[in-house]
Amino acid sequence: MRIKHSLLNIGAGLGNQLIITLLSFVSRTVFITYLGVEYLGLNGLFTSILAMLSLAEAGIGASIMYSLYKPVAEDDKNKMNALMRLYRNAYLIIAGVVLVLGLSLLPFLSFIVSDTSIDHVHIIYLIFLLNTVAPYLYMHKNSFLNVCQKGYIVTGIYSVSSILTTTLKIAILYYTQNFILYLLIESSITIITSIVLALVVNKMYPFLKDKPATDLDPETKKGIFKNVKAIVLQNIGAYLVLGTDNIIISSFIGLAAVGIYSNYKMLIDISRTFINQIFNNIYHSVGNLVANESKEKIYSIYKVYRLINFWIYSTFTIAIYIMLEPFITLWIGSDFIMDKSVLLLLMLLFYEKGIRNAITTVKTTSGIFHPDRYAPLIQAAINLTLSITFVQFWGIAGVFLGTLISSLVVPFWTTPYLVYKKVFKLNILKYYFVYGLYILIGVVAYFITRYSTSTILADSYFSLFLKGLLCIIIPSLIYTVIFCKSDEFKYIFSISKRVFYKFRTIKVSHTTNRL
């Protein structure tokens, strides 16, 4: 059942992401053409600032979601209801806190956004603030569907919403070039979508509208509040590591530089989002697994997850590193290309964070939040110190070099140590041996792929597509040869065969019924 739900969620997510990606490219092209790189920079800057304000939510959602896995697995409706009531009330408070914090920044906008020709900056900021606050009113409903492994419903509703929003925004930019109207459309549809999703959840799970028969037990409350404190510290640290790049670039280099970087970020984020459609849905299956299975079973599934994680992230890293600059040149021109060292650092960050995805999933779904609560703050202090120092010597590359060093100094060590000690109860050296082996295999795959595709000039979209296809196929063939005898590969292959035969059976049955 876990596999079935995961596959449904993954299929829905990938289909949705493909459509949204195509529309995003059209939208970004129209955005750059009619508004320019400065508006692009402002968009990225305000997104980063409001991500900082969203730290008011840090910890609450993740902790309550973790607490929901067991009652959902046991179909304990009263406890689910009590937790959801707590979840809803917490998010109402969060929405109010974010709104107040956001409004308190208004007097300081002129210091953050300097030397710009953009009009009505304060109005634009207020609309961004509305877009941030509104989803909190219904976010607990989304989370419940995800915990129940019904994320494909959320994906379906958001797919329709995203397609409608993006299409309308493209039309507004094309016909009016009005950035404020562009943002208002997004706000309106976001609010409507949240309301529709809440109504769907209420219809599917009517018991959530009832008053819980009993309050949460003291032990559950204590666990939630303990985890909240830990996750708050972790999320604050995570933001200071990953969310301050645009602010540092804007402050030390300029808003236009943020705009140019935002194209790289958009393409990398699209790739990460595609991958996350797979792993976010597996995440909730792992949560269900942790709540019900032995440590041996969890470890065996983790190894499968680890191989899939390496396979996908290393393949995407190779493909993006080879393809990103030719794509941007063909898409919007060579004026939007940054120094090669920036791309190298961005891809190292992409791979390093991505390759930890499997171990991080086991950590969070096992409820390990408290022991390393200060680690992200230590990482953040290292990151900010190094990034602000390095940006003055090496520009944008210096910002990302500081981020990479801070990642290697802290979470690279702490996350696997805690999981292997508390969940698997195994020697941590096993983790680093496999990690090192995967890096070696990935580097070899990169050089073979680079050499094999070097003769293809990406001077048209067809040749670019061909080169990109080879960048996916070649590493996959190499990994198939290397891993085909492993238990993890055999497990993945057996699941793939089951899915294929099931799909074929459904297709044949459907065809027979039609005849």
Side-chain angles (χ1 to χ4, degrees), residues 195-214:
I195 293 170
V196 168
L197 192 57
L199 293 172
V200 169
V201 174
N202 287 340
K203 186 174 181 181
M204 290 180 65
Y205 303 98
F207 68 87
L208 292 176
K209 295 183 287 185
D210 300 333
K211 187 176 180 180
T214 57

Side-chain angles (χ1 to χ4, degrees), residues 489-506:
F489 184 90
K490 290 173 183 175
Y491 180 86
I492 297 165
F493 186 70
S494 68
I495 294 293
S496 302
K497 273 197 342 187
R498 279 164 54 190
V499 171
F500 173 75
Y501 284 124
K502 190 168 186 178
F503 176 76
R504 229 175 83 175
T505 303
I506 293 169

Side-chain angles (χ1 to χ4, degrees), residues 2-15 145-146 148-155 277-278 280-282 284-285:
R2 279 192 291 261
I3 292 170
K4 178 185 174 184
H5 283 142
S6 291
L7 291 171
L8 269 172
N9 291 330
I10 290 166
L14 290 175
L145 283 176
N146 286 324
C148 294
Q149 299 185 55
K150 301 286 179 62
Y152 56 88
I153 296 171
V154 179
T155 300
Q277 294 302 329
I278 298 171
N280 283 353
N281 291 300
I282 293 176
H284 299 291
S285 295

Side-chain angles (χ1 to χ4, degrees), residues 100-166:
V100 171
L101 289 174
L103 292 173
S104 69
L105 281 181
L106 275 172
F108 305 100
L109 277 187
S110 55
F111 297 102
I112 299 170
V113 184
S114 56
D115 299 325
T116 179
S117 59
I118 297 173
D119 296 324
H120 311 300
V121 169
H122 286 75
I123 295 173
I124 291 169
Y125 173 77
L126 286 172
I127 299 171
F128 267 90
L129 181 59
L130 174 64
N131 285 350
T132 303
V133 171
Y136 284 128
L137 303 177
Y138 301 97
M139 197 175 288
H140 59 295
K141 302 287 187 179
N142 300 18
S143 300
F144 187 74
L145 283 176
N146 286 324
V147 170
C148 294
Q149 299 185 55
K150 301 286 179 62
Y152 56 88
I153 296 171
V154 179
T155 300
I157 291 172
Y158 275 111
S159 295
V160 175
S161 169
S162 298
I163 292 167
L164 181 60
T165 305
T166 308

Side-chain angles (χ1 to χ4, degrees), residues 99-357:
L99 181 61
V100 171
L101 289 174
L103 292 173
S104 69
L105 281 181
L106 275 172
F108 305 100
L109 277 187
S110 55
F111 297 102
I112 299 170
V113 184
S114 56
D115 299 325
T116 179
S117 59
I118 297 173
D119 296 324
H120 311 300
V121 169
H122 286 75
I123 295 173
I124 291 169
Y125 173 77
L126 286 172
I127 299 171
F128 267 90
L129 181 59
L130 174 64
N131 285 350
T132 303
V133 171
Y136 284 128
L137 303 177
Y138 301 97
M139 197 175 288
H140 59 295
K141 302 287 187 179
N142 300 18
S143 300
F144 187 74
L145 283 176
N146 286 324
V147 170
C148 294
Q149 299 185 55
K150 301 286 179 62
Y152 56 88
I153 296 171
V154 179
T155 300
I157 291 172
Y158 275 111
S159 295
V160 175
S161 169
S162 298
I163 292 167
L164 181 60
T165 305
T166 308
T167 304
L168 287 173
K169 289 197 301 186
I170 291 169
I172 286 165
L173 286 178
Y174 182 80
Y175 288 108
T176 71
Q177 295 86 57
N178 189 319
F179 188 49
I180 291 176
L181 184 59
Y182 170 95
L183 293 173
L184 284 172
I185 285 292
E186 185 172 17
S187 297
S188 303
I189 296 179
T190 297
I191 293 168
I192 293 167
T193 303
S194 297
I195 293 170
V196 168
L197 192 57
L199 293 172
V200 169
V201 174
N202 287 340
K203 186 174 181 181
M204 290 180 65
Y205 303 98
F207 68 87
L208 292 176
K209 295 183 287 185
D210 300 333
K211 187 176 180 180
T214 57
D215 291 331
L216 284 174
D217 58 279
E219 187 180 346
T220 300
K221 284 184 179 178
K222 184 180 176 182
I224 288 172
F225 290 123
K226 180 182 176 182
N227 288 337
V228 165
K229 291 175 189 175
I231 302 172
V232 164
L233 295 174
Q234 291 176 354
N235 286 359
I236 289 172
Y239 172 78
L240 293 174
V241 171
L242 301 171
T244 54
D245 293 341
N246 281 338
I247 298 172
I248 294 172
I249 294 168
S250 175
S251 301
F252 287 90
I253 301 173
L255 206 55
V258 177
I260 293 172
Y261 159 62
S262 71
N263 292 317
Y264 280 64
K265 186 176 185 299
M266 183 194 79
L267 294 169
I268 293 170
D269 283 349
I270 285 172
S271 302
R272 186 178 283 114
T273 305
F274 263 107
I275 297 171
N276 285 346
Q277 294 302 329
I278 298 171
F279 291 123
N280 283 353
N281 291 300
I282 293 176
Y283 177 94
H284 299 291
S285 295
V286 173
N288 185 270
L289 184 80
V290 169
N292 291 285
E293 302 290 355
S294 66
K295 69 177 185 294
E296 291 78 17
K297 177 69 173 177
I298 297 167
Y299 183 63
S300 67
I301 296 300
Y302 158 73
K303 289 192 293 182
V304 174
Y305 192 179
R306 180 179 62 188
L307 176 59
I308 296 171
N309 192 56
F310 162 73
W311 195 308
I312 294 175
Y313 266 102
S314 62
T315 301
F316 267 78
T317 301
I318 291 166
I320 297 169
Y321 188 66
I322 293 172
M323 299 293 300
L324 190 141
E325 288 182 345
F327 178 81
I328 288 179
T329 302
L330 199 60
W331 172 37
I332 49 179
S334 57
D335 290 342
F336 290 86
I337 296 295
M338 294 191 293
D339 189 84
K340 190 76 173 179
S341 61
V342 174
L343 177 59
L344 175 61
L345 287 164
L346 287 173
M347 295 324 302
L348 289 173
L349 279 167
F350 175 82
Y351 177 80
E352 193 282 326
K353 188 172 187 296
I355 202 67
R356 280 190 280 113
N357 191 49

